[in-house]
Amino acid sequence: MQDDGFTRFFLDNKALEAAYYGDGYCVSHERMERTYLPFAAHVLFPRQRDVDSFRRFSRVNNLDCMLEMPQQSVDFKVLSTDLFICPFQLGFVTIWVQLEGESIPYSTALEFADRFRKLENTFIPDDYTYIHCGEQTFEMVEDFVFRNLVDGLEPFLDHSDINGAYFETLPFFVDERMQVQAFYGFQNEENTEEITVELRYRASQLDGMDLNGEPTISASDPEYIEHYCKEHTYNRWGPDTYYLMNEQTFCCLTRAEPKIAVRLANQMYGEYYYGLLLSIFHKIVLLKLANMHSRLRINHDYDEIDNLIFSINKFSAKFYFLELVSQSQGREIFLQLRKVYGNDALFGEVKVTLTDLFQYQDKFQSKRRDNLLMILTVFTVVSGIYGMNQVIDDLKGKIEWSKMIEYSSFEFLALFVTVTGILVSVVLTLNALISELKRRHRKKYKDLD
């Protein structure tokens, strides 16, 4: 990645504070660290190349592009691109985009976000949406991302989870759409009254325009809209500023004056950005662990059971923090994000899974130990009392193989029991050594991941 122009992101490199977010915006590294100390800073902002952390690589793009839609065309600039390499074989790609123009209509901004987040064309209007970048034209956002912005990434993606799918081409989190983090700043002349509940609902659903270019909203019942916004809005600074969050978007709507709006945007690009990433990371890992459990063959996949128990314990101990943010504002927003994603409920299910696996493993190992002890006891008694007494003298010193021709049937049986007991002991010892070596190799491989 560094050969492709990506720079490893460290907090102590303060030259990067204003490098990736556009003119006039600057993210405070000191504030970001202070926000997540002492709970999650070592995971989000490692001082060294720690594999059990979020390793961020960023690149400045400054690409002038245009999104052509059926209703209209929108000029935008790709400011920069982030690549995160995370534990549990996960990764994130973040594309920082800024709409060009002095005054962008609210409906246009929402429609742009809704179109740009769809990596693959799944609806008819998507087939008439194009991205123009320089002399290139892309029919799908997926091609724009993986053929232009991060053109060397696709060969490193794990496609094992979609081998049974008919139409999917990439291992998406839920579907082929990106998560949207957005900042909408309203000008006074654009919204003189307030940020209404309808505007907030449209932001949460990314309701932009219909095919005629008119503003659209995906619900009509005022009570439903009001109830939904109440459940998904953080309104500590209302009526001037609201934060909306659900499983597809996390956005800030404000009509504050420009200086305050810039400060709010810096927070969205800094500490809140990492809070969103951590919430999504928790959600994906918990779903991945649940998926691993659903695919287990309990009577066969003993190694996978050990791996799943190890993964759950590792996630619980190192990454899932009940307390994450030290400041009250950030803590409230993060707790609401966790509630929106349902992470606490998923974590409870995973802990129940861990208890069940421990109980099964304990019963299975106890049964295996009992069976092994019975086999060893039988061989020890039979070979020791019967076998050794019959043939032990002939096995001392230099063995005279010719004597075995004169053995009786019972002596042959005694010899067989003796040799079999020795072989069983050797095989069990080798099996134990091989199992231990495999366990250490798996642990080393997981540590490298």
Side-chain angles (χ1 to χ4, degrees), residues 154-223:
E154 191 170 1
F156 297 95
L157 298 180
D158 181 11
H159 291 78
S160 59
D161 289 340
I162 60 172
N163 287 337
Y166 288 99
F167 304 109
E168 293 293 349
T169 58
L170 291 172
F172 300 117
F173 165 33
V174 174
D175 54 22
E176 72 288 342
R177 292 174 291 184
M178 291 186 280
Q179 307 293 112
V180 176
Q181 179 175 340
F183 179 82
Y184 305 102
F186 291 90
Q187 297 178 353
N188 291 332
E189 61 271 14
E190 188 175 314
N191 189 11
T192 57
E193 297 296 329
E194 62 176 346
I195 302 176
T196 63
V197 65
E198 288 79 11
L199 293 177
R200 283 178 269 156
Y201 181 81
R202 292 179 61 199
S204 69
Q205 303 301 312
L206 298 176
D207 292 333
M209 300 180 290
D210 59 21
L211 292 178
N212 296 322
E214 298 297 326
T216 184
I217 187 169
S218 57
S220 58
D221 184 16
E223 292 184 2

Side-chain angles (χ1 to χ4, degrees), residues 219-256:
S220 58
D221 184 16
E223 292 184 2
Y224 172 82
I225 294 174
E226 185 173 355
H227 176 72
Y228 184 91
C229 289
K230 183 177 179 181
E231 292 291 322
H232 294 81
T233 300
Y234 182 70
N235 57 357
R236 181 173 178 175
W237 287 276
D240 291 331
T241 301
Y242 295 96
Y243 293 89
L244 275 296
M245 55 201 79
N246 57 22
E247 290 192 349
Q248 63 184 2
T249 185
F250 171 45
C251 60
C252 174
L253 286 75
T254 184
R255 59 174 187 172

